[in-house]
Amino acid sequence: MTGPDVELLPPGTPIDLGNCEREPIHVPGSIQPHGVLLAVTEPDLVVVQVSENLADLVGVAADDALGRQLPEVLGVVAAEAVARSASAFGDLRERNPVEMTLDVEGSPVPVDALLHRVAVGPAEEGSPPTALLVVELEPAYGPRPFSFPNTYQAVRGTLGELNRATSLQELYDITAQAVRELTGFDRVMVYRYDADHNGEVVAEAKAPGLNSFLGLHYPASDIPAQARALYEKNWIRLISDVDYRPVPLRPVLLPLTGQPLDLTLSALRSVSPIHVEYLQNMGVRASMSISLLRAERLWGLIACHHYSGPHAPPYATRAAAEFLGSTLSLRLVDRAEEDEVHRALRVRSTLAWLTAATLDEDRPLADTLLGAPSLLDLLPADGVVVHLQGHRGSRGVPLPDGAAEAIAAWAAGRREDVVATDSLPRSAPELRVPVGPACGVLVLPLPESQYVLWHRAEAVRTVDWGGDPHNKAIAAREGDRVRLSPRKSFARWRETVRDRSEPWTAQELAEVGELRTHLLEALYARSRSIVRAAETLQRSMLTDPPESPRLQVAVRYVPAAREAQVGGDWYDVFGQPDGSTVVVIGDVVGHDTEAAADMAQLRGLLRGIAYASADGPAAVLRRLDGAVAGLGLRTLATVLLARLIPDPAGGALLRWSSAGHLPPLVAQPREGVRTLTTARAELLLGVDPAVRRTESEALLEPGSTLLLYTDGLVERRDQVFDVGVQRLAGELAALRARPVEDLCDDVLDRMLPQGAEDDVALVAVRLRG
């Protein structure tokens, strides 16, 4: 739950603030007492685990329920309702709750049944995985606020307000107020997390008389990593009474596995005693949290607090609040993606202009990069210094004499393509550079002591914390041991942050990394023979693929033997935040530096559009068509864009879209080689910005090898493409057992025994299985 390097504590280990980040909170072995829980087998519905408080709601003692079938415990009518809902396809939680009435000693008791399944592993060695049906029952006292299918009607007005909102702050404020009106909590806050998981209260709706938490920050340690992981899987969590006594499950361990029941998806899951103590220290009597997600990662929370006593909104109300949270998540993603697309297109346009301008060998590179537009249009900073080919220049706020050279030498010693820090006094105190002009620096070290250096001034800021973040724990003796408990003071604690500039974002680092590639191209083209430049430049533009525990990737680029020039063939492989992998192969029409410049622009544009985007390959190519037309890039190219989405079994779903490129090949572990053709021929990129791109998909089993290639591998003057592709498929079938690195080399040797007549790019991706 906390990552591969963190080992969780065994269940039952005493927990305090010193070890809570290792607490196995998904298997607490108990539930909250405002409902009951039964775990039953399927399809016979035999009860194998139950909460001790079963008799309080159902009228049957926990021990008496174990080993009996569900109709004997809940009654025939209620059990049939559970069975009907459980028999439907899909995620059971999407159909919760099952509204039903129990007959308890002749009295009707309305309840909401919440169903989900838990995988518990094989019952015996070699048998398939099994699952238990978990049935949670909550009493539905009084009239239900509205029927669950009418959740949308309950929040329809708020959805309209969210759609009309013109700023992020409006979105936050509308959601906080709506959730408070819907649920009745005394205080509702919207938290936003930064890159280090520190939280900030960005919106608040509260009862009159409560002090405000708006603008307060809370350290990442308040919500440990395993808790954040739970929030990403179970989007809502209610603690109706903070002072509750946990209700144990019987038996403690599942008879099937000897392990505790995983309550990750449980609505009644008992929470960490550290979290309970934290809430008690804040004076909170009841709480509810709703996850805000972006790309399936926790972006923030809607936190609800109640102070006057226990508070238990019925399930339908909670579901409506969760629906609001999901809607806010979608609107936040829409706004963020819209802003990022506009920013990325502006940056790509500047990068494309600068790249093209560097090809003018009659003008010094330094002058080109400091003209209009300049490097400060590419990357916002207070100043930039360039030292290229013996020319030095700067723009913006100047640095003290010798400071740029000292910083560049320090960066070169790091032996990284891009060196960035937002706190030079902490990263390199020995340089003693004043923080006024250069608290943060980003450096592109280049060959022969050349460099490009951006610098940002110190950005002094104040952060209001909810309590002292540097004194989060209170030590108290309990018997023979000292226990660390959460802080008791949450008063506003102001901290002034110094010696830091505005941070460099991951996207900015990626973009200047691409600029470095283009600068290497320009430098080599100007200072080396064209033959050496062709080989070195292509290597600098076509980087090594990322390492992946699921994939083995090998890439090759072979320049044409008869031409001393940079070609337009390229490949790209990069991971996405959601765990998928994007694989690209392309070929710009034409040769020489113009084709290389077009290739660099297309590669950069495609990366910017595809990275962290939820769009499928066809949609990405459509946006690339639009960008090529909108930016006036007069280029034609074939492109194949694929996305590998892993599955838990070691296989993957392959989705791809082609802009006139050759079909990919898949070597299966046992069943030969498939040629993945599309339903119709596709136009090249750059022909028609309005063309409708299509998308195809295929399931790849573990051990499969995907091969993408450019036409130089299969095209011959004396044969058509189809013959070359068939021959390549035959060679791949014969070589599929080879490691991917050897496979690429052997394919090139067999297909090109006399060398390449045209440039060749090749990508082989094997699912490790």
Side-chain angles (χ1 to χ4, degrees):
M1 298 293 291
T2 59
D5 299 328
V6 179
E7 182 180 354
L8 295 180
L9 299 168
T13 302
I15 301 297
D16 65 14
L17 206 62
N19 62 6
C20 65
E21 75 280 356
R22 299 173 56 204
E23 180 184 3
I25 57 177
H26 62 301
V27 287
S30 61
I31 65 168
Q32 300 178 57
H34 62 271
V36 301
L37 180 146
L38 304 96
V40 302
T41 59
E42 292 186 287
D44 50 356
L45 300 182
V46 173
V47 178
V48 295
Q49 195 172 37
V50 66
S51 60
E52 284 189 358
N53 63 341
L54 183 68
D56 296 345
L57 182 61
V58 177
V60 177
D63 290 339
D64 294 338
L66 290 171
R68 295 170 66 181
Q69 290 186 310
L70 201 60
E72 300 176 64
V73 180
L74 301 184
V76 173
V77 175
E80 287 179 349
V82 169
R84 279 194 304 273
S85 183
S87 64
F89 291 102
D91 189 344
L92 297 182
R93 294 179 296 165
E94 295 176 358
R95 289 180 292 279
N96 284 336
V98 181
E99 297 179 356
M100 59 192 193
T101 301
L102 302 179
D103 183 358
V104 181
E105 298 179 355
S107 299
V109 178
V111 297
D112 288 332
L114 315 178
L115 311 183
H116 71 272
R117 287 190 176 90
V118 175
V120 294
E124 297 177 1
E125 184 99 19
S127 61
T130 58
L132 290 177
L133 176 65
V134 176
V135 182
E136 297 177 274
L137 304 178
E138 294 186 9
Y141 298 123
R144 290 183 170 91
F146 42 83
S147 177
F148 178 70
N150 294 326
T151 297
Y152 171 75
Q153 296 296 330
V155 297
R156 183 176 181 179
T158 302
L159 295 183
E161 291 184 61
L162 290 173
N163 288 331
R164 291 189 294 271
T166 58
S167 68
L168 288 176
Q169 191 58 52
E170 274 191 87
L171 290 173
Y172 302 150
D173 293 339
I174 291 168
T175 303
Q177 186 61 42
V179 172
R180 181 166 186 264
E181 292 174 357
L182 184 67
T183 62
F185 278 92
D186 291 333
R187 186 198 306 271
V188 174
M189 298 167 286
V190 177
Y191 278 88
R192 180 180 61 196
Y193 293 117
D194 63 17
D196 298 322
H197 307 295
N198 299 307
E200 178 188 2
V201 180
V202 295
E204 178 184 55
K206 62 183 182 65
L210 291 179
N211 60 317
S212 177
F213 288 173
L214 185 62
L216 291 184
H217 292 68
Y218 292 85
S221 56
D222 281 3
I223 303 180
Q226 76 272 38
R228 294 194 295 270
L230 277 186
Y231 280 125
E232 291 170 358
K233 297 176 181 178
N234 194 346
W235 299 348
I236 189 164
R237 187 225 58 204
L238 171 70
I239 307 175
S240 62
D241 184 357
V242 166
D243 298 324
Y244 78 93
R245 295 185 62 182
V247 178
L249 300 180
R250 291 188 182 177
V252 175
L253 303 179
L254 288 170
L256 289 171
T257 63
Q259 298 295 322
L261 180 66
D262 188 338
L263 297 181
T264 294
L265 302 180
S266 168
L268 297 172
R269 176 179 59 84
S270 193
V271 299
S272 167
I274 292 295
H275 184 63
V276 168
E277 191 173 355
Y278 178 89
L279 293 173
Q280 290 171 335
N281 290 349
M282 294 183 75
V284 175
R285 297 292 306 280
S287 86
M288 187 171 77
S289 300
I290 302 169
S291 303
L292 299 176
L293 303 175
R294 181 179 179 184
E296 299 184 3
R297 304 294 296 182
L298 190 66
W299 177 93
L301 283 177
I302 299 174
C304 309
H305 288 173
H306 208 66
Y307 303 96
S308 54
H311 188 60
Y315 183 83
T317 299
R318 284 147 39 203
E322 181 186 17
F323 184 53
L324 276 181
S326 298
T327 303
L328 176 59
S329 294
L330 292 175
R331 292 289 287 118
L332 291 173
V333 169
D334 288 343
R335 285 300 300 264
E337 287 188 349
E338 181 181 346
D339 293 345
E340 177 57 27
V341 165
H342 287 306
R343 190 204 66 81
L345 286 177
R346 175 181 54 79
V347 169
R348 296 298 165 191
S349 178
T350 303
L351 183 59
W353 193 97
L354 290 173
T355 301
T358 60
L359 301 179
D360 180 5
E361 298 190 12
D362 295 330
R363 186 182 185 190
L365 270 178
D367 293 351
T368 298
L369 298 175
L370 297 175
S374 77
L375 292 176
L376 292 180
D377 296 303
L378 179 71
L379 180 63
D382 292 296
V384 63
V385 182
V386 176
H387 178 55
L388 296 169
Q389 294 187 304
H391 295 84
R392 187 184 187 280
S394 64
R395 188 161 182 164
V397 177
L399 291 177
D401 291 343
E405 288 71 19
I407 295 170
W410 165 78
R414 302 286 295 272
R415 299 187 180 279
E416 299 173 8
D417 290 347
V418 179
V419 178
T421 175
D422 63 358
S423 182
L424 193 61
R426 301 184 187 189
S427 300
E430 69 278 7
L431 298 182
R432 302 182 183 277
V433 176
V435 297
C439 185
V441 297
L442 190 155
V443 187
L444 299 183
L446 296 166
E448 300 175 0
S449 300
Q450 302 173 99
Y451 62 84
V452 177
L453 185 161
W454 289 266
H455 52 93
R456 288 176 177 170
E458 179 186 31
V460 179
R461 60 192 180 99
T462 58
V463 178
D464 289 335
W465 296 93
D468 183 354
H470 308 294
N471 186 22
K472 301 185 291 292
I474 297 173
R477 181 166 295 280
E478 292 186 356
D480 295 331
R481 61 189 289 266
V482 174
R483 181 178 183 273
L484 292 177
S485 62
R487 65 188 184 277
K488 296 181 181 295
S489 173
F490 294 87
R492 189 178 296 265
W493 193 91
R494 177 159 292 179
E495 179 181 31
T496 300
V497 179
R498 294 188 177 275
D499 291 339
R500 287 194 180 278
S501 70
E502 290 297 325
W504 311 98
T505 68
Q507 197 65 27
E508 289 172 338
L509 296 178
E511 288 157 356
V512 298
E514 292 183 34
L515 172 67
R516 181 180 185 274
T517 294
H518 302 318
L519 289 178
L520 285 173
E521 175 186 351
L523 289 169
Y524 277 112
R526 293 172 182 228
S527 60
R528 298 287 190 271
S529 69
I530 193 66
V531 176
R532 292 188 62 190
E535 181 179 357
T536 307
L537 284 172
Q538 205 70 14
R539 278 202 303 267
S540 71
M541 286 186 284
L542 303 177
T543 55
D544 290 335
E547 296 184 1
S548 168
R550 295 176 175 269
L551 306 175
Q552 294 175 304
V553 183
V555 293
R556 295 291 185 272
Y557 173 77
V558 181
R562 62 180 176 84
E563 295 179 288
Q565 59 192 24
V566 181
D569 294 29
W570 92 91
Y571 59 77
D572 205 359
V573 183
F574 56 93
Q576 293 279 48
D578 62 2
S580 64
T581 300
V582 173
V583 185
V584 183
I585 195 85
D587 186 0
V588 173
V589 175
H591 290 88
D592 217 341
T593 54
E594 183 177 353
D598 290 340
M599 177 271 281
Q601 293 171 10
L602 289 179
R603 179 178 178 270
L605 277 171
L606 196 154
R607 272 199 161 206
I609 292 171
Y611 183 74
S613 170
D615 289 341
V620 171
L621 287 187
R622 282 198 298 272
R623 291 169 63 186
L624 185 58
D625 274 316
V628 168
L631 296 173
L633 305 182
R634 299 187 178 184
T635 184
L636 297 175
T638 68
V639 182
L640 190 143
L641 174 67
R643 192 167 188 160
L644 281 165
I645 304 170
D647 63 42
L653 173 64
L654 173 69
R655 290 179 177 158
W656 79 94
S657 184
S658 174
H661 201 82
L662 293 167
L665 302 177
V666 173
Q668 302 172 112
R670 294 174 296 277
E671 300 175 8
V673 173
R674 284 191 292 165
T675 302
L676 302 182
T677 56
T678 54
R680 63 184 178 88
E682 299 282 359
L683 287 178
L684 272 65
L685 188 75
V687 174
D688 179 6
V691 66
R692 188 176 70 87
R693 298 292 181 190
T694 61
E695 190 168 302
S696 306
E697 63 179 44
L699 289 174
L700 306 186
E701 62 183 294
S704 297
T705 302
L706 172 68
L707 192 72
L708 307 183
Y709 51 95
T710 54
D711 57 4
L713 188 62
V714 295
E715 182 185 22
R716 298 291 179 275
R717 292 189 177 93
D718 57 351
Q719 70 180 30
V720 296
F721 276 122
D722 289 349
V723 174
V725 173
Q726 292 174 6
R727 182 182 166 211
L728 176 60
E731 299 293 357
L732 180 59
L735 297 169
R736 64 186 175 191
R738 300 279 287 161
V740 289
E741 295 284 347
D742 296 341
L743 183 147
C744 285
D745 294 334
D746 292 345
V747 163
L748 291 170
D749 289 343
R750 295 190 182 194
M751 295 293 294
L752 306 171
Q754 305 301 320
E757 297 179 2
D758 193 4
D759 297 346
V760 176
L762 184 67
V763 180
V765 182
R766 178 168 296 161
L767 279 61
R768 292 184 185 272

